[in-house]
Amino acid sequence: MTQNTLKTHIQTALTALEALLEQLSGNEIPLDASAPKNIADRSPTDALQNDLKQRFVLYAADQGAVVALDPDWVPLFSEAMFGEEMDPNADGALDLMQEISSQGFGTVQSTLAEEGLTLPEVQFDTAAPGQAPPYPDEAAWLVPFTAQRGGGELDGLVLLPDGAEASSDASTTTESSPQEAAAGADQSSGASQSAGGGAPSSSADESDGVEVSPAAFSELGDEEISGDGDSGTFKLLADVDLEVRVELGRRELPLADVLKLTTGSVVELEKMVGEPLSVYANGRLIAEGEAVVIDEQFGVRITNLASDGHREKAFF
């Protein structure tokens, strides 16, 4: 894989990860990567191994893939996932990094698949700062990267294998030499002749005698509804089950706020007190009503019907 090709794939992956972080946290977190460095012919230096030991490391040693992140990434991820910052030394920090690695790799995998590059299924293990993760023997590229957060900068690095480039065109064929093409033409010509001396085969004679003509259809004419006269009503649908839903109210929340919900949380709806409830049939508004209690069960008293057009559309 060339440096330019790898750089293009990395930029696509960073764009996908930026979108994931923004979705989780609600804030833009720009990511930037340096040019990939080829380390395929170099032995791992003590400096690089020591650098890995100072970070949280997500690794798949058998695939030659490693992601090493500074401990200050933990507060960023915990705030995005849980709404509060977590100390990098906390007990749940390693589990948090494992969850983030799964979500991040899944996002990158699906995004690159759209670009024609298929990544293998990888299960990352994690190592906390101070531990010594195994150095991947297949690592061939070193990619440092940074993230901007609150005026500061977080850094990390990625080690990647030198995988073969995936083809995005499944219909690519292998070109043959002129000699091979000529030999193939001779074989095709010989196969179309009979063993008795070069006469065309009988199947060719039969195909020459087949008459081909376009299909002809009669005019359908004007649209006409036949039957007993009741086809134009809803009588045929009288026994069809229809889902009826009563909506108390709605509220759109960012994913970060949904993750904060716990037992006892209160979600404020958009409807004001005293506003009628909405009654939907098959997803379409058909009426409005008010909540009542009937023998210890909730019910809805219809106070206003939607127009006939709205109610008819509920059946389709």
Side-chain angles (χ1 to χ4, degrees):
M1 181 179 295
T2 65
Q3 186 183 44
N4 289 336
T5 301
L6 181 59
K7 190 174 182 180
T8 300
H9 293 323
I10 289 174
Q11 189 56 52
T12 301
L14 289 180
T15 303
L17 291 175
E18 285 180 350
L20 175 63
L21 290 175
E22 183 176 359
Q23 182 181 16
L24 291 175
S25 65
N27 300 314
E28 291 186 3
I29 303 177
L31 299 174
D32 185 47
S34 302
K37 301 177 182 179
N38 194 317
I39 58 173
D41 298 330
R42 308 177 195 173
S43 299
T45 63
D46 293 338
L48 180 56
Q49 289 182 320
N50 185 63
D51 194 13
L52 293 178
K53 193 174 181 179
Q54 304 303 317
R55 304 171 183 266
F56 280 92
V57 178
L58 317 172
Y59 63 93
D62 57 334
Q63 299 287 341
V66 165
V67 180
L69 301 174
D70 188 82
D72 289 339
W73 285 82
V74 172
L76 170 64
F77 290 148
S78 61
E79 185 178 18
M81 295 288 288
F82 312 125
E84 59 184 16
E85 294 187 356
M86 177 187 294
D87 188 274
N89 297 319
D91 293 337
L94 204 58
D95 293 335
L96 172 64
M97 301 301 281
Q98 181 76 40
E99 175 62 24
I100 287 294
S101 68
S102 298
Q103 293 193 29
F105 181 74
T107 299
V108 171
Q109 188 180 41
S110 60
T111 302
L112 290 181
E114 297 175 357
E115 301 292 327
L117 181 67
T118 302
L119 297 181
E121 294 295 333
V122 175
Q123 180 64 42
F124 284 95
D125 294 317
T126 55
Q131 300 178 358
Y135 189 87
D137 296 332
E138 302 297 327
W141 294 94
L142 170 64
V143 185
F145 64 93
T146 59
Q148 303 298 325
R149 184 202 182 203
E153 187 174 86
L154 304 176
D155 66 341
L157 61 89
V158 177
L159 297 175
L160 295 172
D162 190 13
E165 297 182 33
S167 172
S168 60
D169 186 1
S171 63
T172 302
T173 58
T174 304
E175 296 183 0
S176 59
S177 64
Q179 293 81 359
E180 292 172 337
D186 291 341
Q187 292 177 359
S188 300
S189 176
S192 65
Q193 298 179 355
S194 66
S201 63
S202 59
S203 60
D205 291 337
E206 293 174 359
S207 62
D208 291 340
V210 175
E211 294 184 3
V212 179
S213 59
F217 299 96
S218 59
E219 293 293 333
L220 297 178
D222 298 332
E223 181 179 357
E224 180 181 352
I225 299 178
S226 61
D228 56 4
D230 293 330
S231 301
T233 69
F234 290 126
K235 183 177 181 180
L236 291 175
L237 304 177
D239 295 330
V240 175
D241 292 333
L242 193 65
E243 179 187 33
V244 177
R245 186 179 77 249
V246 179
E247 186 178 275
L248 179 62
R250 296 187 181 189
R251 186 70 177 184
E252 291 187 0
L253 294 174
L255 179 58
D257 291 343
V258 174
L259 294 173
K260 297 177 185 177
L261 296 178
T262 59
T263 302
S265 298
V266 177
V267 178
E268 182 180 354
L269 303 179
E270 296 175 350
K271 279 187 179 293
M272 301 293 292
V273 176
E275 286 191 35
L277 308 181
S278 300
V279 182
Y280 292 86
N282 211 31
R284 297 182 183 273
L285 180 67
I286 62 169
E288 293 179 337
E290 59 183 8
V292 296
V293 178
I294 306 173
D295 295 333
E296 299 183 357
Q297 289 184 316
F298 281 110
V300 178
R301 177 186 290 117
I302 303 299
T303 58
N304 183 37
L305 291 175
S307 65
D308 291 341
H310 277 88
R311 283 183 287 159
E312 290 179 3
K313 288 181 180 179
F315 287 90
F316 303 102

